Amino acid sequence: MSDDTTTARRGALAAMGTAAFVGLAATAEKAAAQAPRESLLRSVITRGRLIVGTGSTNAPWHFEDDRGQLTGMDIAMAKMLAAGLFDDPNKVEFVRQDPAQRIPNINTGRVDIVIQFMTMNPQRAQLVAFSRPYYAEGIALLTSPRGRFKTFAELRAAGANARASVLQNAGADQLVKDALPQAQVLQLDTQANVIQAMEAGRADTAVVDLSTVRWLVRRTPDRFLDAGHSYRSQLYGAAMRQSDPDWKNFVDTVFNVNMFGHITDNYDGALKEFFGIEPRQRTPGFPPI
Amino acid sequence: MSDDTTTARRGALAAMGTAAFVGLAATAEKAAAQAPRESLLRSVITRGRLIVGTGSTNAPWHFEDDRGQLTGMDIAMAKMLAAGLFDDPNKVEFVRQDPAQRIPNINTGRVDIVIQFMTMNPQRAQLVAFSRPYYAEGIALLTSPRGRFKTFAELRAAGANARASVLQNAGADQLVKDALPQAQVLQLDTQANVIQAMEAGRADTAVVDLSTVRWLVRRTPDRFLDAGHSYRSQLYGAAMRQSDPDWKNFVDTVFNVNMFGHITDNYDGALKEFFGIEPRQRTPGFPPI
Amino acid sequence: MSDDTTTARRGALAAMGTAAFVGLAATAEKAAAQAPRESLLRSVITRGRLIVGTGSTNAPWHFEDDRGQLTGMDIAMAKMLAAGLFDDPNKVEFVRQDPAQRIPNINTGRVDIVIQFMTMNPQRAQLVAFSRPYYAEGIALLTSPRGRFKTFAELRAAGANARASVLQNAGADQLVKDALPQAQVLQLDTQANVIQAMEAGRADTAVVDLSTVRWLVRRTPDRFLDAGHSYRSQLYGAAMRQSDPDWKNFVDTVFNVNMFGHITDNYDGALKEFFGIEPRQRTPGFPPI
């Protein structure tokens, strides 16, 4: 589950309150004032490689493959940008950072862009510029081929007999009840335990990110099922420094072209590899965006 | 009916001609040159409240509730912005202004943003920056449960027997005939009279804004019906000063997140309250925008 | 066929390599540094006419009508901009330029904007700012009413018996096989010969741009058919200088309003005239973009 998905995390953000954000805003402003006037678009081209802030421990977004190389949906988006800049998807340096460093590393200039399962929200938009969204995350219901209830319809029909595991936090009960109003809720301390409880039969479904459901079902279809219901969509975008429209325009155009234009193979390939999503049919004529 | 909907109003705008717009453009340019370089995003955060230009006499867009408080779709959008800035939807000061003050009050800095049923059009885009659209207005046909013809199909079938009331102006005839080519057209001097003529049976349908139809049907379903046909869509956007990409990016992100992201309750609630529109189903995965 | 459609052309662009783009980027940067700070939006309004770079020899995008006047989809978009600026679609000066001049003429200030069947791609986005897309080009299959196989289904069913003509280049075989995996490929040196081979019966289908298919079918339905399959969409956008957000915002708003707002007659008319596409149904309410 991304760090942004649950209401607990959103609650934490809200708890930072206005004062904290004003403080961060002042930092952002200062950083902007100190920044060179040249667009990052020019600096990055001159440097000859792109510097991307991301993580390494959250499949299918950003994680290490068998050879220790970063892979995942966020990594794929970064490589599309590098290909757009240098005709070479590998001219990218990844800075592995904690999610808490996402905004500071942009505004101190440590990274050119952050691509790290980042939910677009107003508080962050005070401090950074977001790209167009490249994915809409959601919440979904993970079930087991050996479970009592496999589909959303079965879980709903089970009423108060259905048991749902979920990461513990203030909004966890509501998160479950939005999908399964009568279900028993089992709050657990880690995402691994949430999923393990479902596999061990202590819960009938694990309520987790849609991307997690798709990734687990894609990798191990013998162990996991998607119950077939998703809700609470959130927009994921790349984040950049503010006051640099050339850089934002460039990133948006590269994302648009990879999602809707003539070079969709990499975006489609990543959706397929990490989520099992089939390529979208794109119809020429009236623009799709 | 908004001040923008009818061709008469558009005609009036056109009648201002190039010279008038060049004059206004010069004012805008001068204002931009005198403006502080700091983004309004920073100034507004520092000030601690948002200043929004809007109106107070056009339900369901901006009007007073029983306690004299402003409410309506435009007001809801303003509160979403304030919540995005201050975690408090009420940290907004409304400047009640005539529609004619919408552009001047932006370019003199009197308000941070205008949210006042403002049709996005090229003439205005010369002088202000528009946000992403937050509603698509249209024209629709209001009928009565006691009327001779209640649905669009019945009105069409009635041919020259159908009588339509409409606000008088140069394009009024065409406005009716685009929907009902053979109908008799009754042009009246005020919107109240247009609707009253229909209720009194002197007209079979009142040709008015779709938002007006939805609002009246929502409030008093015993008195009003939506004949079920809408046409001539117009984009409504918020307007801001130009040359301030950080402020525009922020507003666009807040609107995007409220319309398509994880905090759609307020937008959906406003569409439901003011227009009777059911919440849109949002599907995670490939981004909807 | 536009200069951008085939993989050969994309290959040529790639062959320019990073060094060439860095060189062009340096030019763009220098141009930006030398450019006056005033937005082109202001300069163009003051000048009283819009200067658009385009071509004159590629129907249905930009070509001469019987009286030697420029017409086509690109020309229609330019006139919408002029109407938005001056309430007069004819206050536009067209600079007829080779496609190779598209980016240089923007960055030297020779033209205000380029509207010339320009595929949005990352390499170009390093050097210019693109507008929102105004068309999604594609590849399609042109057939003859007198041919052996008229529809995509018939061509597919014909397997290795189907013969396809295509403009010769490195990716031509793949371009055909993406649609007709078993077809025989006949590579020819000019677009005229590609089409002529199909008409003469040496090929069963000509693999060309969707816009070419629609234009030929629209003009001479007795000679040409659209087999009914299109693929490989590409976004066409107008191109402007970078670092001028007011100009880009203005152009985007004018395009948005002409495509989705209250003044869609010209855009719809152009789609109908040049491609035979029927007007899109636009539904008021939740914004379409």
Side-chain angles (χ1 to χ4, degrees):
Chain A
M1 186 172 281
S2 99
D3 69 315
D4 310 310
T5 307
T6 62
T7 46
R9 299 290 181 139
R10 288 203 293 276
L13 260 177
M16 291 176 66
T18 304
F21 282 117
V22 169
L24 285 171
T27 308
E29 186 181 353
K30 202 170 166 188
Q34 293 168 340
R37 294 198 48 81
E38 184 185 64
S39 171
L40 271 180
L41 176 57
R42 298 274 84 81
S43 321
V44 171
I45 291 171
T46 303
R47 186 201 298 135
R49 72 178 195 290
L50 175 69
I51 303 178
V52 175
T54 192
S56 60
T57 56
N58 297 284
W61 292 100
H62 38 259
F63 61 105
E64 294 185 351
D65 64 16
D66 298 340
R67 297 166 301 138
Q69 299 292 305
L70 282 178
T71 186
M73 189 71 201
D74 288 334
I75 308 304
M77 298 308 295
K79 290 185 174 178
M80 290 174 215
L81 275 182
L85 286 160
F86 308 113
D87 293 324
D88 182 346
N90 295 314
K91 286 195 173 169
V92 51
E93 173 190 334
F94 291 105
V95 172
R96 300 182 185 206
Q97 63 188 16
D98 188 80
Q101 289 307 108
R102 289 181 293 191
I103 288 177
N105 279 355
I106 291 166
N107 283 324
T108 58
R110 174 82 182 84
V111 300
D112 302 320
I113 191 167
V114 163
I115 313 180
Q116 192 174 5
F117 64 7
M118 197 163 175
T119 301
M120 298 167 67
N121 74 30
Q123 289 78 16
R124 291 169 178 163
Q126 293 182 21
L127 306 170
V128 293
F130 280 107
S131 72
R132 65 122 49 248
Y134 61 88
Y135 193 77
E137 182 57 287
I139 303 294
L141 308 178
L142 187 71
T143 54
S144 162
R146 301 177 309 280
R148 298 189 301 168
F149 313 118
K150 294 177 184 62
T151 67
F152 179 56
E154 290 169 3
L155 288 163
R156 291 279 286 207
N161 285 327
R163 299 158 304 160
S165 57
V166 64
L167 195 63
Q168 67 187 22
N169 70 55
D173 255 44
Q174 193 55 50
L175 194 69
V176 173
K177 291 191 183 307
D178 279 0
L180 302 170
Q182 300 175 278
Q184 303 166 48
V185 179
L186 179 64
Q187 295 197 25
L188 297 170
D189 58 346
T190 68
Q191 162 115 326
N193 285 341
V194 168
I195 294 170
Q196 208 269 325
M198 189 280 296
E199 283 208 89
R202 294 194 304 279
D204 300 303
T205 183
V207 177
V208 295
D209 276 358
L210 174 63
S211 60
T212 300
V213 170
R214 285 179 168 160
W215 170 245
L216 292 175
V217 169
R218 173 114 185 109
R219 287 190 65 198
T220 46
D222 52 317
R223 285 173 58 190
F224 297 108
L225 292 176
D226 180 347
H229 177 66
S230 63
Y231 58 110
R232 284 206 194 182
S233 70
Q234 324 176 49
L235 304 178
Y236 279 9
M240 292 158 275
R241 71 180 191 185
Q242 297 180 330
S243 307
D244 192 348
D246 289 346
W247 183 227
K248 174 173 159 54
N249 283 348
F250 176 78
V251 170
D252 282 344
T253 299
V254 174
F255 283 10
N256 278 335
V257 168
N258 278 274
M259 293 169 69
F260 299 98
H262 59 291
I263 47 172
T264 54
D265 286 356
N266 291 315
Y267 182 80
D268 285 353
L271 282 190
K272 176 79 178 171
E273 180 176 357
F274 302 116
F275 309 114
I277 298 178
E278 291 300 323
R280 187 188 185 88
Q281 185 68 31
R282 293 171 181 86
T283 309
F286 203 101
I289 46 170
Chain B
M1 184 174 281
S2 98
D3 69 313
D4 308 311
T5 306
T6 63
T7 46
R9 299 289 183 140
R10 288 204 291 276
L13 259 178
M16 292 176 64
T18 305
F21 281 117
V22 170
L24 284 170
T27 308
E29 185 181 352
K30 203 170 166 188
Q34 294 168 339
R37 294 200 48 81
E38 185 185 62
S39 171
L40 271 180
L41 176 56
R42 297 275 84 82
S43 321
V44 170
I45 290 171
T46 303
R47 187 200 297 135
R49 72 179 195 290
L50 174 70
I51 304 178
V52 175
T54 192
S56 60
T57 56
N58 297 284
W61 293 100
H62 38 259
F63 61 105
E64 293 185 353
D65 64 17
D66 297 340
R67 296 166 300 139
Q69 299 293 302
L70 283 179
T71 185
M73 188 72 202
D74 289 334
I75 308 305
M77 298 308 297
K79 291 185 174 180
M80 290 174 215
L81 274 182
L85 286 160
F86 309 112
D87 292 324
D88 181 347
N90 295 313
K91 287 196 172 167
V92 51
E93 173 189 333
F94 291 105
V95 172
R96 301 182 185 207
Q97 61 189 15
D98 189 79
Q101 288 307 109
R102 289 180 293 190
I103 288 177
N105 279 356
I106 292 165
N107 283 324
T108 58
R110 175 82 182 84
V111 300
D112 302 319
I113 191 166
V114 163
I115 313 180
Q116 193 172 6
F117 66 5
M118 196 163 174
T119 300
M120 296 167 68
N121 75 28
Q123 289 76 17
R124 290 168 178 165
Q126 293 182 20
L127 307 170
V128 293
F130 280 107
S131 72
R132 67 126 44 249
Y134 61 89
Y135 193 78
E137 181 60 285
I139 303 295
L141 308 178
L142 188 71
T143 55
S144 162
R146 303 176 309 280
R148 298 189 301 168
F149 313 117
K150 295 176 185 61
T151 67
F152 179 55
E154 290 170 3
L155 287 163
R156 290 280 285 207
N161 285 327
R163 300 157 304 160
S165 58
V166 64
L167 195 63
Q168 69 187 20
N169 69 56
D173 255 43
Q174 193 56 50
L175 194 68
V176 173
K177 291 192 182 306
D178 280 359
L180 303 170
Q182 300 175 277
Q184 303 167 48
V185 178
L186 179 63
Q187 295 197 26
L188 297 169
D189 58 347
T190 69
Q191 163 116 327
N193 285 340
V194 168
I195 294 169
Q196 209 269 325
M198 189 280 297
E199 285 208 87
R202 294 194 304 279
D204 300 302
T205 183
V207 177
V208 295
D209 277 358
L210 173 63
S211 60
T212 301
V213 170
R214 286 180 167 158
W215 170 244
L216 293 174
V217 169
R218 173 117 187 107
R219 287 190 64 199
T220 44
D222 53 318
R223 284 174 59 190
F224 297 109
L225 293 175
D226 179 347
H229 177 67
S230 64
Y231 58 110
R232 283 206 194 182
S233 71
Q234 325 178 49
L235 305 177
Y236 278 8
M240 293 158 275
R241 72 178 191 187
Q242 297 180 328
S243 308
D244 192 348
D246 288 346
W247 183 227
K248 173 172 161 54
N249 284 348
F250 176 78
V251 170
D252 283 343
T253 299
V254 175
F255 283 9
N256 278 335
V257 168
N258 278 275
M259 293 169 69
F260 300 98
H262 58 291
I263 47 173
T264 55
D265 286 355
N266 291 314
Y267 182 80
D268 285 353
L271 283 190
K272 176 81 178 169
E273 179 176 359
F274 302 117
F275 309 115
I277 298 178
E278 292 299 324
R280 187 189 185 88
Q281 184 69 29
R282 292 171 181 88
T283 309
F286 203 101
I289 45 169
Chain C
M1 186 174 279
S2 97
D3 70 310
D4 309 310
T5 307
T6 63
T7 46
R9 299 290 181 138
R10 288 204 291 277
L13 259 178
M16 291 176 66
T18 304
F21 281 117
V22 169
L24 285 170
T27 308
E29 186 181 351
K30 203 170 165 188
Q34 292 168 341
R37 293 198 48 82
E38 184 185 62
S39 171
L40 271 180
L41 176 56
R42 298 274 84 82
S43 320
V44 170
I45 291 171
T46 303
R47 188 201 297 134
R49 74 179 193 290
L50 175 69
I51 304 179
V52 175
T54 193
S56 60
T57 56
N58 297 284
W61 294 100
H62 39 258
F63 61 105
E64 293 185 352
D65 65 16
D66 298 340
R67 297 165 300 137
Q69 299 292 304
L70 282 178
T71 185
M73 189 71 201
D74 288 334
I75 308 305
M77 298 309 297
K79 291 185 174 177
M80 290 173 215
L81 274 181
L85 285 160
F86 308 112
D87 291 324
D88 181 348
N90 294 314
K91 287 195 173 170
V92 51
E93 173 189 333
F94 290 106
V95 172
R96 301 183 185 205
Q97 62 189 16
D98 188 79
Q101 288 308 109
R102 289 181 292 191
I103 288 177
N105 279 356
I106 291 165
N107 283 324
T108 58
R110 176 83 183 82
V111 300
D112 302 320
I113 191 167
V114 164
I115 312 180
Q116 193 173 4
F117 65 5
M118 197 163 174
T119 301
M120 296 167 69
N121 74 30
Q123 289 76 16
R124 291 169 178 163
Q126 293 181 20
L127 307 169
V128 293
F130 280 106
S131 73
R132 66 126 45 248
Y134 62 88
Y135 193 78
E137 182 58 288
I139 303 295
L141 308 177
L142 188 70
T143 54
S144 162
R146 301 176 310 280
R148 298 190 300 168
F149 313 117
K150 295 177 184 61
T151 66
F152 178 55
E154 290 170 3
L155 288 163
R156 290 279 287 207
N161 285 327
R163 300 158 304 161
S165 57
V166 65
L167 195 63
Q168 67 187 22
N169 69 55
D173 255 45
Q174 193 54 50
L175 194 69
V176 173
K177 290 191 183 309
D178 279 359
L180 304 170
Q182 300 174 278
Q184 303 167 48
V185 179
L186 180 63
Q187 295 198 23
L188 297 170
D189 59 346
T190 67
Q191 162 118 327
N193 285 340
V194 168
I195 293 170
Q196 208 270 325
M198 189 279 296
E199 286 209 86
R202 294 194 302 279
D204 300 302
T205 183
V207 177
V208 296
D209 276 358
L210 173 63
S211 61
T212 301
V213 170
R214 286 179 168 160
W215 171 245
L216 292 175
V217 169
R218 172 114 183 110
R219 287 192 65 198
T220 46
D222 51 318
R223 284 173 59 189
F224 297 109
L225 293 176
D226 179 348
H229 177 66
S230 63
Y231 57 110
R232 281 205 195 182
S233 71
Q234 327 178 46
L235 305 178
Y236 279 8
M240 293 157 276
R241 72 179 191 187
Q242 298 180 328
S243 307
D244 192 347
D246 288 347
W247 184 225
K248 174 173 161 54
N249 283 349
F250 176 77
V251 170
D252 283 344
T253 300
V254 174
F255 283 9
N256 278 336
V257 168
N258 278 275
M259 294 170 67
F260 300 98
H262 58 292
I263 47 174
T264 55
D265 286 356
N266 291 315
Y267 183 80
D268 285 353
L271 282 190
K272 175 80 177 171
E273 179 175 358
F274 301 117
F275 309 115
I277 298 177
E278 292 299 324
R280 186 188 186 88
Q281 184 69 29
R282 293 172 182 88
T283 309
F286 203 101
I289 45 169

